[in-house]
Amino acid sequence: NAGVTQTPKFQVLKTGQSMTLQCAQDMNHNSMYWYRQDPGMGLRLIYYSASEGTTDKGEVPNGYNVSRLNKREFSLRLESAAPSQTSVYFCASSAFETGTKGAKNIQYFGAGTRLSVL
Amino acid sequence: AQRVTQPEKLLSVFKGAPVELKCNYSYSGSPELFWYVQYSRQRLQLLLRHISRESIKGFTADLNKGETSFHLKKPFAQEEDSAMYYCALLTDKLIFGTGTRLQVFP
């Protein structure tokens, strides 16, 4: 199992450019997440998808869109990048299922994408 | 409001000293709490979770519902423990604290 795979690892954009961050997991998890990590702010949830076909906003969704393409893949799109979106982005997946708690609720993280917007 | 608070941004200790990374939470339900760790240039990974009551790499964390705390402790810090530590609360999603950077000096 590769776990959670994110591409690209690094990206530099100019203000106003668009790009899509890709994420794929091979653990057959239902839930997938996108976070951004900023110094002093910790990890903040951008969007998540509890199951294939559903997406929900997290704490900081503005300026982003997501697509749960299938059970494996969850992409994050920046339509018009801004310098405030310079960050490290992490994708995660878990087998969390609504209404249940326990051993399946562990999140597995990708290696991260370091994005700079100039 | 659902919230996780890690009051210390940075904790510096010498090798062999005890370590306590503080975490407090706010949640009206029955909490499920985790500690995640991120070593330099590595991905975030689960360190331990309260329901399993385990000790991982010498770290333990006890849930104190009265004080709404889930502090991470280790009696003797090692240099390889230097990392970023995040406390997280599971609701319908995982809510992270802002993280504490632990530096262990030789």
Side-chain angles (χ1 to χ4, degrees):
Chain A
N1 280 354
V4 179
T5 304
Q6 286 182 239
T7 55
K9 286 189 165 46
F10 302 95
Q11 184 71 49
V12 178
L13 294 177
K14 293 181 181 176
T15 297
Q17 285 186 313
S18 62
M19 79 159 294
T20 300
L21 282 66
Q22 307 287 352
C23 176
Q25 53 92 9
D26 60 1
M27 295 174 282
N28 202 36
H29 286 168
N30 286 328
S31 302
M32 297 185 73
Y33 311 81
W34 276 105
Y35 295 89
R36 58 177 291 174
Q37 183 185 42
D38 302 290
M41 307 287 283
L43 281 155
R44 291 181 293 169
L45 184 64
I46 305 171
Y47 270 93
Y48 66 106
S49 170
S51 63
E52 187 179 353
T54 68
T55 60
D56 287 286
K57 293 180 180 179
E59 185 184 351
V60 288
N62 291 346
Y64 305 95
N65 283 305
V66 289
S67 295
R68 184 71 184 269
L69 305 168
N70 47 55
K71 193 169 186 179
R72 288 188 67 247
E73 297 171 288
F74 188 40
S75 62
L76 178 72
R77 182 158 178 85
L78 286 71
E79 289 291 352
S80 179
S84 61
Q85 293 178 304
T86 293
S87 186
V88 181
Y89 291 84
F90 287 97
C91 178
S93 73
S94 75
F96 177 77
E97 295 178 356
T98 305
T100 63
K101 290 190 174 185
K104 292 185 178 179
N105 293 325
I106 298 170
Q107 292 201 346
Y108 294 86
F109 286 82
T113 296
R114 192 171 293 273
L115 174 67
S116 294
V117 183
L118 306 176
Chain B
Q2 300 159 355
R3 189 186 305 122
V4 176
T5 304
Q6 292 180 252
E8 302 140 330
K9 283 197 169 103
L10 174 66
L11 185 62
S12 299
V13 301
F14 286 102
K15 177 182 171 181
V19 167
E20 182 178 68
L21 288 81
K22 291 185 167 46
C23 172
N24 288 90
Y25 66 91
S26 172
Y27 184 50
S28 57
S30 183
E32 187 168 350
L33 289 148
F34 303 80
W35 276 99
Y36 280 80
V37 60
Q38 186 179 29
Y39 300 103
S40 179
R41 300 190 179 279
Q42 293 188 29
R43 67 185 69 195
L44 208 65
Q45 56 188 289
L46 179 69
L47 180 61
L48 54 80
R49 51 196 179 118
H50 91 270
I51 60 172
S52 55
R53 303 184 69 82
E54 57 204 342
S55 173
I56 303 292
K57 299 185 180 183
F59 285 98
T60 59
D62 290 319
L63 176 62
N64 186 323
K65 289 187 180 180
E67 295 182 359
T68 60
S69 68
F70 187 56
H71 303 326
L72 184 68
K73 299 177 185 178
K74 185 169 183 176
F76 307 104
Q78 303 299 315
E79 288 178 70
E80 55 265 30
D81 295 329
S82 295
M84 194 76 180
Y85 291 81
Y86 291 95
C87 183
L89 167 70
L90 181 66
T91 59
D92 59 335
K93 49 190 177 289
L94 206 57
I95 299 171
F96 285 89
T98 51
T100 298
R101 180 167 298 283
L102 174 64
Q103 288 182 329
V104 182
F105 295 109

